[in-house]
């Protein structure tokens, strides 16, 4: 994986998450003591010391045991949340369970969430989801949508019929369900359908971070992946689109604490990061923890410089939206009189 992908840049070097179009207005007289700022929050019934999650990535191969162990230690020490990668591999081959269960072992107090693909729900059903929950003593399950990747992979699962119905079935199995994309974002119409199906939260996983089309392009011999690197709803736009009254995770190209602050000011409750943590998790628990600590410190500074004592106040700070992100939000009817409509409804 090259550095540009990690930086949330497209193949031509552009950052496309839309977060560069968001300006948080600086408060020159914040009237608070930075050391008193509270960055903690509640998320799906669990207390997080910061509104940060390590996004679903890995597990399922012996070499991933160490990465998940290191990431889990970082999550436990920082009091944040952590998701595991798709548990399909361990449902198929129980000898791989430890590469996932190590997360709960190392992070006994953290918000830990499991992961399965929506495309595979038909095969595994409610029983498979419950097995995945039990495997890591999960606080919630993420069900991922990755139809772009499925469509451009030669062996991909491209029958998307009945996905919402299956999500609805899973939502009644008694565990909070997070419906997440994997890099293409979610628009308002689907966010409403997901909410009405009974999901507890949405993770936008918007365009502008890790690109599965990009990954497929590196792997393949044709340019279809490169062409579809263009595809998706930018993270900043998707956050506003998904403001439908259930908890919201922002992800897709979040690479700093300022990005986290922007996402929360746009309407997210917590932020999730994936790719930058892969390399750090591979290095050591300390490396992952240091990186995340920096992100949280940058978030705290952003809060100080906007006069936000806590996350609730950060949600209300003044922002300016410019460029293509503004055009897209206007086109979709989210902006009236200079304000994002959905923020006013909160
Ligand atoms: C190496 C890697 C593996 C991933 N595996 C999964 C997965 O198994 N399930 C899933 O829902 N998302 C998966 N994702 C997507 C991430 O959870 C996240 O939604 C996406 O990468 C956007 O975040 P980022 O830009 O910070 O990487 C993976 C991402 C990476 C980088």
């Amino acid at each position: 994986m090259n550095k540009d992908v990690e930086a949330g840049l497209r193949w031509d070097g552009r950052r496309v998450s839309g977060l560069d179009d968001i300006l948080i207005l600086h408060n020159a007289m914040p009237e608070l003591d930075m050391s008193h700022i509270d960055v903690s929050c509640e998320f799906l019934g669990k207390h997080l010391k910061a509104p940060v999650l390590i996004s679903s990535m890995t597990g399922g191969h012996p070499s991933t045991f160490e990465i998940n162990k290191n990431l889990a230690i970082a999550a436990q020490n920082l009091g944040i949340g952590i998701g595991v990668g798709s548990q399909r591999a361990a449902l198929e081959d129980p000898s791989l369970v430890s590469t996932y269960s190590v997360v709960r072992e190392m992070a006994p107090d953290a918000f830990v969430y499991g992961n399965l693909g929506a495309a595979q729900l038909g095969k595994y059903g409610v029983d498979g989801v419950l097995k995945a929950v039990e495997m890591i003593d999960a606080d919630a399950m993420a069900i991922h949508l990755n139809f772009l990747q499925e469509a451009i992979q030669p062996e991909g699962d491209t029958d998307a019929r009945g996905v919402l119905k299956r999500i609805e079935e899973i939502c009644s199995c008694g565990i909070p369900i997070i419906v997440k994309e994997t890099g293409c974002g979610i628009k308002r119409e689907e966010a409403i359908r997901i909410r009405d199906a009974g999901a507890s939260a949405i993770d936008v996983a918007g365009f502008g971070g890790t690109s599965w089309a990009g990954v497929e392009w590196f792997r393949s011999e044709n340019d279809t992946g490169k062409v579809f690197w263009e595809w998706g709803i930018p993270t900043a736009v998707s956050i506003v689109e998904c403001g439908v009254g259930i908890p919201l995770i922002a992800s897709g190209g979040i690479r700093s604490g300022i990005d986290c602050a922007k996402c929360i000011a746009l309407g997210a409750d917590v932020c999730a990061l994936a790719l930058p943590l892969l390399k750090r998790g591979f290095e050591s628990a300390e490396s992952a923890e240091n990186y995340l600590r920096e992100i949280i410190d940058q978030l705290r500074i952003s809060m100080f410089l906007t006069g936000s004592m806590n996350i609730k106040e950060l949600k209300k700070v003044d922002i300016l939206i410019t460029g293509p992100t503004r055009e897209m939000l206007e086109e979709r009817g989210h902006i009236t009189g200079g304000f994002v409509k959905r923020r006013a409804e909160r």
Side-chain angles (χ1 to χ4, degrees):
M1 200 79 68
N2 72 22
K3 251 194 136 35
D4 289 351
V5 176
E6 176 179 323
L9 300 178
R10 207 176 57 154
W11 55 270
D12 60 359
R14 266 178 45 211
R15 193 165 112 120
V16 282
S17 64
L19 293 172
D20 286 349
D21 292 335
I22 311 298
L23 177 77
I24 301 189
L25 282 183
H26 174 64
N27 179 341
M29 293 190 287
E31 289 290 346
L32 44 89
D33 180 338
M34 191 164 100
S35 66
H36 294 166
I37 289 175
D38 177 11
V39 298
S40 72
C41 69
E42 302 298 314
F43 187 69
L44 296 182
K46 202 104 177 182
H47 182 76
L48 303 180
K49 286 191 184 158
V52 175
L53 307 175
I54 297 173
S55 199
S56 321
M57 266 189 296
T58 194
H61 187 275
S63 64
T64 60
F65 178 91
E66 211 55 36
I67 300 177
N68 267 348
K69 181 177 159 195
N70 290 339
L71 294 176
I73 292 170
Q76 173 72 17
N77 290 347
L78 294 166
I80 60 171
I82 176 166
V84 298
S86 172
Q87 291 166 268
R88 179 187 188 175
L91 291 181
E92 297 289 330
D93 177 359
S95 75
L96 297 169
V97 163
S98 66
T99 64
Y100 299 92
S101 59
V102 65
V103 170
R104 178 50 90 197
E105 277 163 41
M106 294 296 140
D109 306 311
F111 172 75
V112 172
Y113 57 108
N115 189 285
L116 277 176
Q120 286 90 47
L121 283 183
K123 179 168 178 202
Y124 299 117
V126 172
D127 280 357
V129 172
L130 294 177
K131 267 190 201 152
V133 169
E134 199 188 342
M135 193 186 299
I136 56 168
D137 188 17
D139 296 300
M141 270 305 283
I143 302 298
H144 71 253
L145 304 164
N146 69 333
F147 288 107
L148 167 63
Q149 188 190 10
E150 300 285 358
I152 60 179
Q153 266 176 350
E155 72 283 14
D157 187 343
T158 51
D159 185 356
R161 290 173 299 176
V163 162
L164 188 68
K165 195 164 180 309
R166 286 192 210 108
I167 289 176
E168 201 172 345
E169 276 163 25
I170 302 299
C171 285
S172 57
C173 77
I175 177 100
I177 298 295
I178 301 166
V179 176
K180 80 183 281 289
E181 239 291 338
T182 45
C184 292
I186 296 174
K187 69 176 157 70
R188 187 162 178 78
E189 290 75 3
E190 274 72 54
I192 289 170
R193 291 160 75 204
I194 290 166
R195 177 198 66 193
D196 293 349
S200 300
I202 293 174
D203 178 346
V204 304
F207 171 60
T210 304
S211 163
W212 284 106
V215 173
E216 294 301 331
W217 179 44
F218 291 133
R219 276 193 209 153
S220 85
E221 301 201 331
N222 66 47
D223 270 350
T224 302
K226 183 178 174 189
V227 168
F228 279 91
W229 200 321
E230 298 281 341
W231 192 270
I233 305 167
T235 298
V237 175
S238 194
I239 291 168
V240 178
E241 288 272 312
C242 289
V244 294
I246 58 174
L248 186 60
I249 303 171
S251 75
I254 294 173
R255 301 292 180 258
S256 73
I258 300 180
D259 283 350
C260 291
K262 288 177 179 180
C263 291
I264 291 171
L266 276 172
D269 295 290
V270 298
C271 299
L273 293 86
L275 188 59
L277 287 161
L278 191 64
K279 187 177 76 185
R280 273 97 183 171
F282 184 74
E283 282 166 5
S284 65
E286 202 186 6
S287 170
E289 188 177 329
N290 288 343
Y291 175 78
L292 284 161
R293 206 178 284 283
E294 260 179 48
I295 299 272
I296 296 166
D297 285 346
Q298 292 160 6
L299 171 64
R300 187 177 287 105
I301 295 170
S302 308
M303 289 172 69
F304 179 53
L305 298 177
T306 52
S308 310
M309 193 60 194
N310 51 43
I311 298 296
K312 212 171 157 197
E313 290 183 10
L314 178 61
K315 287 185 181 208
K316 295 190 191 129
V317 297
D318 292 326
I319 53 174
L320 293 181
I321 304 175
T322 60
T325 303
R326 183 179 187 88
E327 282 169 31
M328 288 183 231
L329 290 175
E330 272 173 356
E331 189 69 24
R332 293 283 290 167
H334 293 299
I335 294 184
T336 47
F339 294 99
V340 177
K341 249 200 303 189
R342 313 257 171 250
R343 293 177 77 230
E345 289 168 11
R346 284 207 295 264

